[in-house]
Amino acid sequence: MSAKRLGIGFIGTGNISSAYLKAILGKDGLPGFGVLDVKALSDMRPEAAQARADEFGLKAMSVDDMLADPAIDLVVNLTIPRAHVDVGLKCLAAGKHVYSEKPLGINFADGKKLLDAAKAKGLRIGSAPDTFLGGAHQQARAVVDSGVLGQLVGGTAFMQCPGHESWHPDPAFYYDIGGGPMLDMGPYYITDLVNLLGPVARVSAMSSRLRTERTITSEPKKGQTMPVHIDTHVTGMLGFANGAIVQIAMSFDVAAHKHVPLELYGTEQTLIVPDPNFFGGAVELRGRGRDAEWRPVPLETAYADGNYRSLGVADMAAAILENRPHRANGDLALHVLEVMEAFETAAREGRVVDIKTPVERPAPLAESLVDGKLG
């Protein structure tokens, strides 16, 4: 593992930036990522960047100054989804690698434009989510790779909730173009499924939009209404290249449910995978037979005991320094974006949509760990 550090900057200092910075700097009992050297924070609202910089003892600067700073090699793009590609293109034009919050873009064409621009300049694209690198999901990957499930049959993936207006301080963008349950939460589930099963080959879907406006119940905008421009209940099927078929449902309309987030079915055993929005959680196995019981899978992999947002950034930085592929990469994010867009197409046109972007399963994180940790 290289002892060098990579200079990084942040564009966008909203809610999620705090989680990234805590993981990088080693707050809340987390060990931190020494490979990342945070040079500065920026935001279209300078006061927001300054407030976050003051909170973490960092420097705030303008976006233009950040893009001109030769000490910053990689920009972490935490802007709203509709700005991901435009901001990413500006970073690439300035000669910076880019790691973007999910989704990579709000449509496949824009996401591909970003990747094409990066390849033309010899720069890298990374993208959240990186939760599939967490200990629980890497342990589940090890179970799948061991072959104990038998032939892979399929599975289920469920993220169903009443919506984000009950807790988020400014939830309108979740219901605007570029939002919705599939583009917001789908990246966690589909990325983890690609990590576990490999590429998606085809998609079928149905979707609905029960309300044209919703009322915010969280502060500070409690009582305000917001228009709904996207479908808020999406369900369908993922057909994987390896033959597995996974049922999926993403919803902002469901009061409550008892489905586990992810199940994988094999001919010999079934695997329970925890919520892919988190790095840890319980992994369980059960074999065939009436007398079989669910049994826990011990977590022997790193990064299962906290919120390690920025693990993907750390792996990307280490990969740049070590000249190796990074795991939460642009090809993976573009594949997932094509899959998510296919749900809209399949639901609208009532047909099965073939997925065309090639992608490889990311290498297990253990291959880049030293003493069980990343740089």
Side-chain angles (χ1 to χ4, degrees):
M1 179 66 61
S2 173
K4 294 181 180 179
R5 307 178 75 195
L6 199 74
I8 70 169
F10 282 72
I11 297 180
T13 55
N15 268 1
I16 195 63
S17 66
S18 178
Y20 273 78
L21 291 168
K22 287 177 181 178
I24 291 171
L25 300 175
K27 307 291 186 180
D28 292 351
L30 299 174
F33 292 112
V35 73
L36 299 174
D37 184 7
V38 183
K39 298 294 187 181
L41 311 179
S42 65
D43 195 284
M44 65 181 294
R45 300 166 299 143
E47 68 278 8
Q50 190 63 58
R52 190 68 82 198
D54 291 344
E55 178 184 353
F56 287 93
L58 297 168
K59 178 182 178 181
M61 64 169 57
S62 71
V63 172
D64 287 342
D65 286 346
M66 177 173 290
L67 296 182
D69 190 339
I72 295 174
D73 299 294
L74 186 155
V75 172
V76 180
N77 178 7
L78 303 184
T79 57
I80 63 172
R82 284 192 297 177
H84 285 176
V85 171
D86 285 345
V87 171
L89 289 171
K90 290 178 181 178
C91 295
L92 293 172
K96 314 294 187 186
H97 304 287
V98 180
Y99 183 95
S100 176
E101 242 308 310
K102 51 79 187 170
L104 181 67
I106 63 171
N107 60 63
F108 177 79
D110 282 353
K112 189 173 187 304
K113 184 190 304 181
L114 188 65
L115 258 67
D116 289 346
K119 290 174 181 176
K121 293 185 71 68
L123 295 168
R124 297 196 189 205
I125 295 293
S127 179
D130 57 0
T131 44
F132 75 95
L133 298 174
H137 303 284
Q138 289 293 299
Q139 192 68 60
R141 165 72 177 265
V143 171
V144 172
D145 289 350
S146 74
V148 298
L149 299 184
Q151 187 174 355
L152 294 170
V153 179
T156 58
F158 288 97
M159 194 303 299
Q160 301 184 119
C161 71
H164 294 346
E165 59 268 37
S166 65
W167 64 271
H168 198 281
D170 191 17
F173 74 92
Y174 287 110
Y175 300 95
D176 202 351
I177 302 301
M182 182 55 73
L183 278 179
D184 177 46
M185 297 302 295
Y188 296 107
Y189 287 75
I190 298 169
T191 302
D192 202 18
L193 286 167
V194 173
N195 167 58
L196 295 167
L197 299 175
V200 177
R202 62 195 64 85
V203 168
S204 63
M206 297 179 72
S207 63
S208 64
R209 186 182 317 177
L210 300 182
R211 287 167 276 181
T212 58
E213 66 177 23
R214 298 171 77 125
T215 301
I216 300 172
T217 58
S218 60
E219 298 293 350
K221 297 187 175 183
K222 185 175 182 178
Q224 295 183 24
T225 61
M226 51 188 176
V228 178
H229 296 298
I230 43 78
D231 286 356
T232 49
H233 185 83
V234 183
T235 184
M237 307 290 288
L238 296 163
F240 286 81
N242 67 0
I245 301 171
V246 174
Q247 299 168 277
I248 187 169
M250 303 280 116
S251 183
F252 287 165
D253 292 324
V254 173
H257 69 92
K258 292 183 71 174
H259 295 288
V260 299
L262 288 170
E263 290 187 356
L264 292 185
Y265 309 135
T267 53
E268 303 303 319
Q269 298 196 65
T270 289
L271 176 68
I272 301 295
V273 182
D275 190 339
N277 193 14
F278 300 95
F279 293 82
V283 180
E284 299 179 79
L285 272 172
R286 179 174 173 173
R288 293 192 289 176
R290 293 182 179 179
D291 296 331
E293 296 182 352
W294 291 105
R295 61 191 189 280
V297 177
L299 298 185
E300 299 173 347
T301 46
Y303 305 113
D305 59 346
N307 187 3
Y308 290 97
R309 307 282 165 172
S310 73
L311 177 53
V313 184
D315 177 63
M316 182 176 176
I320 291 169
L321 294 171
E322 297 165 8
N323 193 29
R324 62 166 173 82
H326 61 288
R327 293 169 173 83
N329 59 65
D331 289 337
L332 175 60
L334 185 65
H335 180 78
V336 171
L337 181 57
E338 184 188 10
V339 171
M340 294 189 297
E341 186 172 272
F343 276 89
E344 179 181 352
T345 302
R348 183 181 64 248
E349 299 180 5
R351 64 180 179 90
V352 175
V353 176
D354 292 330
I355 304 302
K356 298 178 181 178
T357 49
V359 71
E360 296 182 6
R361 296 169 77 202
L365 185 62
E367 294 181 5
S368 296
L369 300 183
V370 176
D371 297 327
K373 295 292 181 179
L374 183 68

